[in-house]
Amino acid sequence: EPEVTQTPSHQVTQMGQEVILRCVPISNHLYFYWYRQILGQKVEFLVSFYNNEISEKSEIFDDQFSVERPDGSNFTLKIRSTKLEDSAMYFCASRVQQGGNQPQHFGDGTRLSIL
Amino acid sequence: SQQGEEDPQALSIQEGENATMNCSYKTSINNLQWYRQNSGRGLVHLILIRSNEREKHSGRLRVTLDTSKKSSSLLITASRAADTASYFCATGGGNTPLVFGKGTRLSVIA
């Protein structure tokens, strides 16, 4: 069964550095998402992306964050000037079509540790 | 927000027993979804129930939805050790982001 794949599985970065988290969504999916989960807390929505632009973003997704689909397969989340509180699991998800009740399919996440 | 909140926060049962987890939410919904998360892994979609449905089955899973009480339950029958995971309800989806609860940590003891 097709899967959403995320790399790296664990990223350790010094505070203030930039980090790029990578995702390869399922190939025929059109909608892409990033969520994060701080240890022991809820999974929180960050941003959704469709047709090469952001369709919705949460208040967490400030100017520090950006997303890009640089080619036909990758979907990246960039965090500039990382802070300690950015330490979390970051999950990418994709969905096949607009509307309806199609589920989002999640990758296994990238554990981001900011030192 | 359309937050889902699960209870109990943690549940420990013996293999073969049934596990019931509950979810409450605040606003009107189009559907409600349940996801499973194994330790260190991503979220796996289990089942979606539409707002006009009251009950739905998938294998050993049974989900109910009571829109008048803004609540849902997930029943896992004849639990197995492999069912050990965290279970989350989520509202939204479709054209809106998923909003997750804090989840129920289920431990099934062999």
Side-chain angles (χ1 to χ4, degrees):
Chain A
E1 186 173 327
E3 293 182 337
V4 175
T5 57
Q6 291 186 242
T7 55
S9 56
H10 191 188
Q11 174 80 46
V12 181
T13 301
Q14 291 289 329
M15 185 172 59
Q17 296 296 305
E18 174 182 286
V19 66
I20 297 176
L21 309 182
R22 303 183 189 279
C23 170
V24 178
I26 296 173
S27 62
N28 64 333
H29 285 193
L30 302 176
Y31 291 80
F32 314 113
Y33 308 83
W34 283 100
Y35 292 82
R36 80 173 184 190
Q37 185 180 31
I38 295 171
L39 185 64
Q41 298 189 24
K42 298 179 182 183
V43 176
E44 302 172 290
F45 168 74
L46 293 178
V47 66
S48 58
F49 192 86
Y50 169 71
N51 200 26
N52 285 318
E53 61 182 22
I54 291 173
S55 50
E56 190 166 349
K57 60 183 181 179
S58 72
E59 59 188 23
I60 302 170
F61 194 88
D62 59 21
D63 292 343
Q64 180 193 10
F65 294 89
S66 62
V67 289
E68 192 177 30
R69 188 155 164 82
D71 52 45
S73 60
N74 291 285
F75 179 52
T76 62
L77 173 69
K78 182 189 290 185
I79 310 175
R80 289 182 284 272
S81 189
T82 49
K83 306 169 191 167
L84 293 175
E85 54 263 37
D86 294 327
S87 295
M89 285 290 291
Y90 287 81
F91 293 103
C92 173
S94 68
R95 182 167 62 86
V96 64
Q97 68 186 45
Q98 183 176 11
N101 293 300
Q102 295 298 320
Q104 295 177 22
H105 296 263
F106 284 76
D108 279 343
T110 293
R111 180 176 301 282
L112 178 63
S113 300
I114 306 300
L115 304 179
Chain B
S1 75
Q2 294 181 322
Q3 280 186 338
E5 298 291 345
E6 297 89 343
D7 80 271
Q9 290 185 354
L11 179 62
S12 183
I13 59 173
Q14 295 289 325
E15 205 167 29
E17 294 180 338
N18 296 341
T20 300
M21 290 159 272
N22 302 297
C23 167
S24 60
Y25 57 92
K26 295 180 181 177
T27 62
S28 61
I29 59 171
N30 293 322
N31 62 66
L32 186 141
Q33 304 178 48
W34 285 90
Y35 282 81
R36 184 187 73 227
Q37 184 181 34
N38 289 72
S39 180
R41 302 296 299 274
L43 295 144
V44 175
H45 181 261
L46 295 176
I47 197 165
L48 180 150
I49 186 165
R50 295 182 173 86
S51 60
N52 62 353
E53 297 176 310
R54 290 297 166 258
E55 187 170 312
K56 197 163 183 179
H57 297 254
S58 176
R60 292 183 297 112
L61 305 180
R62 173 177 162 246
V63 168
T64 63
L65 180 64
D66 186 336
T67 52
S68 66
K69 295 180 179 178
K70 292 186 168 55
S71 67
S72 174
S73 67
L74 171 67
L75 168 68
I76 304 174
T77 60
S79 62
R80 305 166 182 167
D83 295 328
T84 294
S86 290
Y87 291 82
F88 298 88
C89 68
T91 56
N95 293 334
T96 60
L98 289 171
V99 180
F100 291 89
K102 282 190 174 180
T104 293
R105 289 191 317 277
L106 174 66
S107 299
V108 181
I109 303 166

